Structure formats: C-alpha cells, structure tokens
Amino acid sequence: MKYVWAFIIFVGLILAGIVSIIGELLEFAFGVALTGIGIIAAIGLWIYIKVKN
C-alpha cells in the first residue's frame, strides 16, 4: 500500500511541476502582451499629441 502512496506523491509532484511551468509561460505571455499594449498606447498617445499640435 505504501507504494501506492509513493506513486500518488510522485504523480502529484510531476503535475505540480507541469502546472508551474505552464503558469510561468502564461505569466511571460501576459507580461509580453501588457508590454505590447503599453508600447502601442505610448505610440498612440505620441501621435495624438503630434496631431493635436
């Protein structure tokens, strides 16, 4: 029976590792997306100021 628990813990650790990797990738993608939106907003604001003047 103790082997079953060891297997469950082993699988749990693997799943936790996969989830953390996916989490890191999502966080990275989200950061890149926010940076992109920020750059687009800055360019848009700059063009708006140029056009207004």
Side-chain angles (χ1 to χ4, degrees):
M1 195 66 195
K2 67 182 177 186
Y3 293 116
V4 173
W5 280 113
F7 182 72
I8 289 166
I9 291 164
F10 180 68
V11 171
L13 286 170
I14 291 169
L15 288 174
I18 291 165
V19 167
S20 70
I21 289 164
I22 291 166
E24 287 289 323
L25 289 173
L26 285 173
E27 197 175 320
F28 177 73
F30 192 62
V32 168
L34 284 177
T35 304
I37 291 163
I39 291 165
I40 291 163
I43 292 166
L45 188 66
W46 184 73
I47 290 166
Y48 174 74
I49 290 164
K50 285 279 184 185
V51 169
K52 202 174 181 191
N53 292 347

